């Protein structure tokens, strides 16, 4: 099992602000919050891989104040496609993938974790999203 962690730094937002954005390379996290401080990490794990397909899991950990709503976006570098998402709502446009919370896992307390997974396809290679 391969584990990949994308580190994101904390950003300050005003109370009542709708969005806190944290970016690192090609991976971006947006946390919708009603709190003064937000920051998150996402850990990308390939659970299994086979010729032409794979399963991946992502753990979203809230490092800041409680939040309600999260979105994880990243870009695939080798033409991979997401075919099915669970515990989130996913979409893909070209290389860019966006997964938002499901209704039941939107709220994250400080230190809380939400997890989602997906199945995908690949041809040639299946590198993980890069973090600079």
């Amino acid at each position: 099992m391969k584990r990949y962690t994308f580190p994101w730094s904390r950003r300050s937002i005003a109370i009542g602000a709708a969005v806190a954005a944290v970016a690192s390379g090609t991976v971006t996290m947006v946390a919708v919050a009603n709190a003064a401080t937000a920051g998150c990490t996402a850990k990308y794990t390939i659970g299994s891989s086979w010729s032409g397909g794979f399963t991946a899991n992502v753990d979203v950990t809230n490092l800041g104040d409680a939040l309600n709503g999260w979105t994880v976006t990243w870009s695939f570098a080798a033409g991979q496609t997401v075919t099915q998402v669970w515990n989130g709502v996913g979409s893909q446009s070209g290389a860019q993938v966006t997964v938002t919370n499901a209704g039941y896992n939107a709220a994250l307390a400080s230190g809380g974790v939400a997890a989602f997974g997906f199945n995908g396809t690949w041809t040639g290679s299946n590198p993980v999203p890069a973090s600079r």
Side-chain angles (χ1 to χ4, degrees):
M1 188 178 303
K2 297 179 184 176
R3 294 178 189 263
Y4 302 91
T5 301
F6 300 100
W8 297 324
S9 61
R10 292 176 158 228
R11 305 277 175 143
S12 236
I13 60 173
I15 295 202
V19 178
V22 184
S24 176
T26 60
V27 181
T28 302
M29 174 104 179
V30 178
V32 177
N34 289 321
T37 305
C40 294
T41 62
K43 181 173 66 174
Y44 184 105
T45 304
I46 296 177
S48 61
S49 185
W50 57 93
S51 180
F54 68 104
T55 298
N57 298 294
V58 178
D59 291 335
V60 179
T61 303
N62 181 14
L63 302 176
D65 295 337
L67 59 86
N68 188 14
W70 51 264
T71 299
V72 178
T73 64
W74 70 89
S75 293
F76 281 127
Q80 301 100 313
T81 59
V82 172
T83 58
Q84 178 185 22
V85 176
W86 53 91
N87 295 329
V89 178
S91 64
Q92 184 168 357
S93 178
Q96 175 129 359
V97 178
T98 302
V99 178
T100 59
N101 58 269
Y104 54 84
N105 63 0
L108 282 179
S110 181
V113 178
F116 66 89
F118 63 93
N119 292 326
T121 62
W122 59 275
T123 57
S125 66
N126 186 25
V128 300
S131 178
R132 291 186 233 166

